[in-house]
Amino acid sequence: MAPLLTTDSLFAGYRGKAVVRGLSLTIEPGEVFALLGPNGAGKTTTLLTLAGMIPPVSGSVELFGEPLPRGKPHLVARKGLSFVPDDRGLFMTLTTRENLKLGIGKDGRPVDELLEFFPELEKRLKVPAGQLSGGEQQMLSLARALAPRPRLLLIDEMSMGLAPTLVERMFSVVQQLAADRTVAIVLVEQFVELALELATNAAVLVHGDVVLNGPASDLADRPDLLEGAYFGALPEELVGEGPAPAVAANGKAPSGS
């Protein structure tokens, strides 16, 4: 089965200046990929580029086997990509129901089916999105992104500003989607442990460069490497020019990588 998304030596940024450099990713159907890193690492810039909202500086992006339409996010959405931005991207004066209907389109999930993901929203269907709590707004943002039955879902900082119980609630839905393998997910998340528990593969981005990548379970087994990546203190054998090593549980690059 062909990858849903591939990037090759992607440089991404603004006004021709790259803040993400040489990013190469392959996202397979049903995969959950966690893109991690400290603030300012370039994670949101990466997602905006993959969603077609800003054009690449250089390199290539292929979505569903075709070149990504540059600067045309509506065409990217029609191809089967949904994006949950860190600001939730809701129409605050429209009701919960109206926001959901905007995402459904011709063959999307009906409102009743979307409420199965978040039954908490059923009593809030007539309430303007701007009057919802932060947790309800995040539920609505994710539900609306799921409305058109996307093949690929990008989620930027889903847990931002939410209480721990609500974070667990949101992650339970993403975990359900991952278990059903109905959609591939690229997840940017500040709760590293939760992200790695959910993800299949992961990468750590620091100052625009991928400094670690590999199976999420291997990265989760080496919290010392994650801490070193975040604070610029990786072991010398894992630091150098060229692509970041795929790190195995022993902290070494696997043979042949």
Side-chain angles (χ1 to χ4, degrees):
M1 190 175 296
L4 298 183
L5 176 73
T6 58
T7 72
D8 184 20
S9 298
L10 174 65
F11 283 66
Y14 308 91
R15 298 180 181 177
K17 184 177 180 180
V19 298
V20 177
R21 296 172 294 275
L23 181 65
S24 295
L25 298 175
T26 300
I27 307 299
E28 303 287 350
E31 179 178 357
V32 179
F33 185 89
L35 186 60
L36 308 173
N39 291 337
K43 306 183 299 295
T44 293
T45 299
T46 299
L47 292 191
L48 289 172
T49 304
L50 300 182
M53 301 182 74
I54 59 175
V57 174
S58 64
S60 65
V61 182
E62 287 196 354
L63 180 65
F64 311 133
E66 298 178 354
L68 184 77
R70 289 176 175 256
K72 297 180 179 180
H74 62 289
L75 296 182
V76 175
R78 288 178 188 173
K79 286 179 174 290
L81 183 147
S82 284
F83 180 35
V84 181
D86 58 1
D87 64 359
R88 296 167 185 153
L90 300 172
F91 292 93
M92 294 300 182
T93 60
L94 299 183
T95 66
T96 296
R97 182 185 295 276
E98 289 168 338
N99 269 279
L100 291 175
K101 285 186 173 181
L102 285 175
I104 292 174
K106 291 183 178 180
D107 301 312
R109 293 181 170 96
V111 170
D112 288 348
E113 185 176 335
L114 294 171
L115 293 175
E116 293 178 8
F117 291 109
F118 297 110
E120 299 94 330
L121 295 178
E122 186 170 4
K123 294 182 179 180
R124 310 291 276 168
L125 288 175
K126 297 181 180 180
V127 178
Q131 296 179 21
L132 300 178
S133 69
E136 289 169 340
Q137 287 181 357
Q138 192 62 285
M139 292 178 191
L140 176 56
S141 182
L142 181 54
R144 191 182 65 180
L146 295 174
R149 304 183 190 274
R151 298 165 62 191
L152 180 63
L153 178 64
L154 310 182
I155 306 177
D156 193 5
E157 297 286 11
M158 179 174 61
S159 66
M160 183 178 293
L162 301 185
T165 54
L166 287 173
V167 173
E168 293 179 4
R169 178 73 183 89
M170 299 297 297
F171 266 82
S172 69
V173 172
V174 176
Q175 192 168 30
Q176 176 186 342
L177 294 168
D180 292 343
R181 299 183 67 84
T182 56
V183 57
I185 301 167
V186 179
L187 180 70
V188 166
E189 182 50 55
Q190 61 181 327
F191 284 91
V192 175
E193 292 183 5
L194 282 174
L196 291 177
E197 182 179 337
L198 180 64
T200 313
N201 295 293
V204 179
L205 195 65
V206 177
H207 298 309
D209 299 309
V210 174
V211 297
L212 287 176
N213 74 84
S217 58
D218 288 348
L219 293 180
D221 287 340
R222 290 301 308 268
D224 57 323
L225 290 181
L226 288 170
E227 183 176 348
Y230 271 69
F231 293 101
L234 282 172
E236 290 185 3
E237 64 267 26
L238 295 180
V239 179
E241 297 181 357
V247 177
N250 61 7
K252 304 290 187 179
S255 60
S257 67

